Amino acid sequence: MKSTRRHFFKTMATGAGTMLLGPSAKAMSSVEQFNGYPERVGMLVDLSLCIGCRRCEEACKRANQLPPVEAPLNDSSVFEHTRRTDAENYTVVNRFANPQPNQPAVYVKKQCMHCEEPACASACLVGALRKTKEGPVVYNPDICLGCRYCMIACPFYIPAYEYHNPTSPKVRKCTLCYERIKAGGMPACAEICPVEAITFGKRSDLIKLAQAQILNNPGEYQNHIYGLDEVGGTTWLYISKVPFAKLGFPTDVGTTPFPEYTRGFLSAVPVVFVVWPALLGGFHLFANNRQPAPAQEDGVTRNDEETEQ
Amino acid sequence: MNRRTCFFLATFWVFSLARAEGADRLEQHSRAPSAVAQPLNCTECHTSGHPTKSNPCLAPCPRSAPKQGPDVVLLNQLSSEYVPVIFAHQLHAQMTQMSGGCAICHHHNSANRIMACRECHSASHPESLAKPGLKGAYHRLCLNCHREWSHETQCSVCHARRTANSTRVVLPDPTDIMGLLHPNVKEPVIKIYQTACDQGTLVTFRHQEHVRHYGLKCATCHREEDCSRCHDTGLSLDRTKTFEQHHSPCSLCHQTGDKVTKACAGCHSDKEIPPFTHKEAGLVLNDTHQVAECSDCHTGSGPTKYRDPPSCSNCHEKQENISYPARLPGTKVKLP
Amino acid sequence: MNTHISQSIMSREWIQENLLLGKPARTYFRGLVTPLNVVAAIIICVGLPLIVSRYIFGLAAVTHASNNQPWGLFLSWGLFSGVPLASTGFIMAATVYLFGLRQYHPLLRPAVLTGFVGYFFAVVFLLVDLGRPWHLPYPMFVSFGTGSVMFLVAWHVALYLSTQFVEFCPAIFEWLGAERFRRWAVKVTIGATIFGVILSTLHQSALGALFLLAPAKLHPLWYSPYLPLLFFVSSIFGGLSMVIIESTLIRRFLPGRMDPANHRVLDGLTLGLGKGAALTMLTYFGLKLIALAHGNHWNLLNSGYGAWYLIELIGFVALPCFAFVLGVRRCRPEIVRFAAFWAVVGLVANRFTVSMFALNWQLPHREFVSLKEALVVATIFTIELLVYRWVVNRLPVHREHTRYKSARKRHLVQAPQPA
């Protein structure tokens, strides 16, 4: 599905006329199964390791030329409220009380999940958001309209908008340090993490690592890799000893890739374009070929306005 | 996981905890291949070529007591950027005796020698989750505990940035390590516990006496302690204990009774119990007995050796028709 | 032809006749000072600086929209309520031209005008709400996000706006006296109508389909795979109701702009429209029940949102539907008119619910109402009404242009009269 759609983007750029018909049947076809580029990267977070030092926030801001962190890193008062990502914070660490007694609090790093089939990219009407073959979902501000439908579509409440920027407002979110990855590096957060709670690698490898970690510590971890199947899979994977529902993870997002939800509707578009003219034209002919009503004051019923002169 | 040990142990969930030597070590086999860079040679841990589950024939630890370890370790992997980190090894080693032991840090250590962290944990990035890189390995060990009681995760807490003036590391006096990094632990002389027991609310515990006279080690009673017992870890631990757990430090040597027999009066009283005298226990220590060492009569090992009174025949030849204390034994003792 | 138009437009008489309602300039401008106009002017004087500030200081200057709730009043009112209420054009065009119900011809032009103005101001709202409004043509010319429902909405709203302009062109050319252009415009009517119906079918439903991408955010009582269908069907009775409301208001406030013949047939046409609205509302009610059963979230009915769902379903769908039926059965156009107002309020309530109240329902702290947003909306809506009045006052909308009067009158069919 993905490759065909990507291919479709390229070919579609030639003829705007076909745009009327909406996505073609080819783009909508799922016969050609594509399970993602095998070399795409992933990030695995072991939540039981995170110590909440927020050094990843700091590194992220440095890597993305964002203003420095507001609260000092050792100021634990930031954890009193659950924070979300915003235009100046691509990643935030939140603290959640451990539901098990006498266990330390759990810190959860939050950022763009870089879905395998991103809702935001399928929401974007100009293709400003795009899933790269390396894995990151990247954003092109130069073509963005600022409709913010991506923010509606994102099930994780990640994309943020520069509401205070009048001239060049942008959708802001984690880029998975796309440039660094392409240059052979790793995202800044994974690099800085002092306890190596974030592991960067090939997504396929990380899944095995996560499974092994759960298997080798029987009874300790939740038997679930968050992001393996959620919304069709995400680049970021999480393992935890505490149920994900208690850690602010949305657990009602399902495993269906979000583009699937609008696929049925979009496939109906060409049908309407083909069937409606015939149907409506037929109605028109039928309605205007009937016998004129016998007793009409103003005379005969006329076919069309153009004949009136 | 046992909540008392949660602190230390939570750090090391990656590895087997090796609290009980045999079973846990065996578990390591399944993890060892991915966790350790060099393939393990069986003889590094096992003295016999045919270890079994019941008798693993483990090679002894190269150190029998923490005292044998270094007082201070300098971690200088990043010495180009930072002043080496001063790690008070002895202090930590002593504390670990009250909980997870050396294996908290020295996990997967082959028995014959102490391995350096970097022998397994490479300074570059980790190759697996189960085996973090050197940075992760150090920080997990340190920060998992330290962030909780100091609430401090700033790099500068441990890493002083290297400047022109800080090229020379001033080693702390190892004998004063407590004063430098840790306030002196004040050993109590006597503790009188207020209890809810209906057969006497006061329990007198002569702490100093137990340590000095009976040679109890800290870890004899302070087993499975967690850091939050003394340090502010920000956790409000549930400290309710069962009857058995509550009495377990004493019941190592003393008859503490149980809920059925209610033999409480030995310890629980309405007033402070006077210190122990040998006379009260039975034998008046006079004559040569005054100069005898405790261990001359109380043979055996561990605190339990005081529980059962020694018999005279330990020292004195047994003779017919002589009964203590009506007559003193006539035969000279055979002192070892 | 062009020279003919420009000459006639430049002439003083033409201006007086066609722009100043046939009055001398001084009389005309004095006549503008009416209480309603003063109120409108005050609203605009407050709102316009706000709109200007949005382009100087960014969206945050006027909107409460946040990262969690990125869509606010501008879209809930301007797009999600404005577009279905502007479906009048395609509904009446289809009624008259495609289904051959020519007795509704007197209501066609007002309906097309309502539609055109409605869509135009939906775009105006977009220009205020979009982060970079100057990128508005990008989906058409620069970059194509073909997998997006919003892409479809953008294209179709743009095309349909043009289509409605074409459909309304005869009135404009009559006004300008451009005879040849008028004939061309009339010739494409059927094509434009069919094209318009296709576009409307798709983008009315696409507005609902937008929310298909928010299954975890939209409250389960409203989230349904039937959303596109529900949006489409409700836009039909919304459009029918708007035609009723519009004609009612014009007859009440601008009776001079409506032909006496139209005055006579209006009650009968209103009853006919009411019948159509009753049928579509019944269909809509049935679809809502199917969607509810399909979602199988009956337990959620027993909650605050459930109560609102029931109020919406009963109070704003079933009851106005019943009122329509009552009005039609008793041949009481005033009941139908009341029902039309009711149905429109219900439709707006539904769109606000889906695009605002029931969206992100799980988030703890949400704010919906912002004074500045409301002021901007009031300003743009006031301008919308003024524009509409301006056009109705001048162009042959509810009346025949004198030059075409005889020709048009011939195919006016007597509408059913109230008993």
Side-chain angles (χ1 to χ4, degrees), chain B:
Chain B
M1 190 191 296
N2 186 320
R3 70 163 185 274
R4 289 183 175 193
T5 54
C6 66
F7 250 108
F8 278 111
L9 303 190
T11 321
F12 311 106
W13 51 268
V14 179
F15 313 100
S16 102
L17 300 179
R19 265 174 301 163
E21 296 268 302
D24 282 14
R25 282 272 168 90
L26 270 170
E27 262 182 42
Q28 290 180 1
H29 291 131
S30 61
R31 295 167 218 175
S34 68
V36 182
Q38 299 90 345
L40 265 184
N41 187 347
C42 302
T43 56
E44 283 209 52
C45 301
H46 301 283
T47 49
S48 140
H50 306 283
T52 63
K53 191 165 185 176
S54 53
N55 184 14
C57 303
L58 289 169
C61 175
R63 291 175 191 153
S64 57
K67 282 278 182 218
Q68 292 180 319
D71 289 327
V72 174
V73 175
L74 286 186
L75 308 174
N76 54 2
Q77 268 75 27
L78 289 176
S79 54
S80 59
E81 261 187 273
Y82 299 105
V83 177
V85 175
I86 300 163
F87 174 63
H89 177 271
Q90 191 58 248
L91 187 69
H92 285 82
Q94 283 168 4
M95 301 233 178
T96 59
Q97 296 312 300
M98 302 182 202
S99 52
C102 306
I104 281 182
C105 297
H106 297 282
H107 52 250
H108 289 307
N109 194 79
S110 68
N112 292 320
R113 63 188 177 88
I114 303 295
M115 289 166 73
C117 302
R118 62 177 177 280
E119 287 185 52
C120 294
H121 299 283
S122 72
S124 58
H125 201 63
E127 61 249 47
S128 84
L129 270 197
K131 199 183 81 174
L134 191 57
K135 178 181 76 172
Y138 275 136
H139 285 138
R140 283 185 198 179
L141 290 182
C142 302
L143 284 171
N144 264 325
C145 301
H146 277 276
R147 60 151 174 166
E148 293 290 353
W149 70 64
S150 61
H151 307 293
E152 193 67 70
T153 54
Q154 286 288 87
C155 304
S156 57
V157 173
C158 301
H159 301 276
R161 183 142 317 251
R162 185 177 279 288
T163 61
N165 311 336
S166 64
T167 46
R168 207 169 57 87
V169 181
V170 183
L171 266 180
D173 174 5
T175 57
D176 192 29
I177 193 73
M178 303 278 265
L180 185 74
L181 287 173
H182 195 281
N184 267 310
V185 177
K186 203 174 166 199
E187 186 192 335
V189 177
I190 180 169
K191 295 204 85 159
I192 299 173
Y193 294 99
Q194 190 79 35
T195 70
C197 181
D198 50 3
Q199 299 182 19
T201 52
L202 298 182
V203 173
T204 312
F205 175 66
R206 294 180 188 278
H207 188 279
Q208 197 178 51
E209 193 173 82
H210 277 75
V211 174
R212 299 230 176 124
H213 290 178
Y214 311 131
L216 266 64
K217 303 270 185 293
C218 302
T220 310
C221 300
H222 297 283
R223 292 158 293 157
E224 299 189 352
E225 294 284 13
D226 61 64
C227 311
S228 65
R229 173 89 183 225
C230 303
H231 302 282
D232 166 26
T233 59
L235 283 179
S236 52
L237 290 188
D238 175 16
R239 292 190 192 280
T240 50
K241 296 173 181 171
T242 63
F243 184 90
E244 286 72 23
Q245 282 175 328
H246 200 80
H247 292 89
S248 68
C250 305
S251 60
L252 275 179
C253 309
H254 302 278
Q255 288 287 348
T256 53
D258 51 45
K259 279 180 175 173
V260 184
T261 60
K262 298 247 179 189
C264 308
C267 303
H268 289 267
S269 162
D270 290 328
K271 56 185 196 321
E272 181 186 332
I273 295 174
F276 167 77
T277 54
H278 212 273
K279 178 181 162 192
E280 259 181 49
L283 181 65
V284 182
L285 293 182
N286 55 10
D287 297 342
T288 47
H289 290 129
Q290 267 179 323
V291 295
E293 290 292 321
C294 302
S295 58
D296 287 344
C297 303
H298 297 280
T299 54
S301 64
T304 52
K305 66 184 173 183
Y306 298 102
R307 195 163 60 190
D308 307 313
S311 73
C312 303
S313 59
N314 278 8
C315 305
H316 301 276
E317 271 175 14
K318 195 168 179 176
Q319 286 196 338
E320 296 295 324
N321 305 324
I322 292 177
S323 61
Y324 172 83
R327 251 182 85 186
L328 294 175
T331 316
K332 273 293 181 196
V333 293
K334 305 177 291 174
L335 284 175

Side-chain angles (χ1 to χ4, degrees), chain A residues 185-197:
Chain A
M186 69 168 82
C189 53
E191 191 176 74
I192 200 77
C193 183
V195 290
E196 292 175 4

Side-chain angles (χ1 to χ4, degrees), chain A residues 229-249:
Chain A
D229 295 316
E230 272 75 12
V231 300
T234 60
T235 297
W236 281 76
L237 306 166
Y238 289 83
I239 53 174
S240 167
K241 296 182 175 176
V242 171
F244 288 103
K246 309 254 186 209
L247 301 177
F249 284 85

